[in-house]
Amino acid sequence: MNTSSKVNVATRIAAGDDRMHYDGLARALHWLTAVLVLALFGFAELWGFAARPTREVMIMVHCRSAFC
């Protein structure tokens, strides 16, 4: 590799174009994770609005799945 092509590659990488592309599965998993994190944050914020019987059921379901 000559000096000018090394400079071109270094410039391209410094500019953020490293020619790395992710496949559809990686993108789907990324966005699924982002949506689930936002949903969990939303559920945590809305916890106090649930009626008392509903909260008790939610606690039982959580403890059974989390081995409380």
Side-chain angles (χ1 to χ4, degrees), residues 12-34:
R12 184 174 42 77
I13 291 173
D17 180 20
D18 60 359
R19 295 189 183 178
M20 178 182 240
H21 299 284
Y22 295 100
D23 63 349
L25 178 63
R27 289 184 197 150
L29 289 174
H30 167 80
W31 287 111
L32 177 65
T33 302

Side-chain angles (χ1 to χ4, degrees), residues 2-54:
N2 61 25
T3 305
S4 67
S5 63
K6 287 182 183 179
V7 170
N8 288 338
V9 170
T11 303
R12 184 174 42 77
I13 291 173
D17 180 20
D18 60 359
R19 295 189 183 178
M20 178 182 240
H21 299 284
Y22 295 100
D23 63 349
L25 178 63
R27 289 184 197 150
L29 289 174
H30 167 80
W31 287 111
L32 177 65
T33 302
V35 168
L36 289 174
V37 166
L38 291 174
L40 288 172
F41 178 76
F43 287 138
E45 290 296 313
L46 296 174
W47 176 266
F49 294 112
R52 182 63 110 193
T54 304

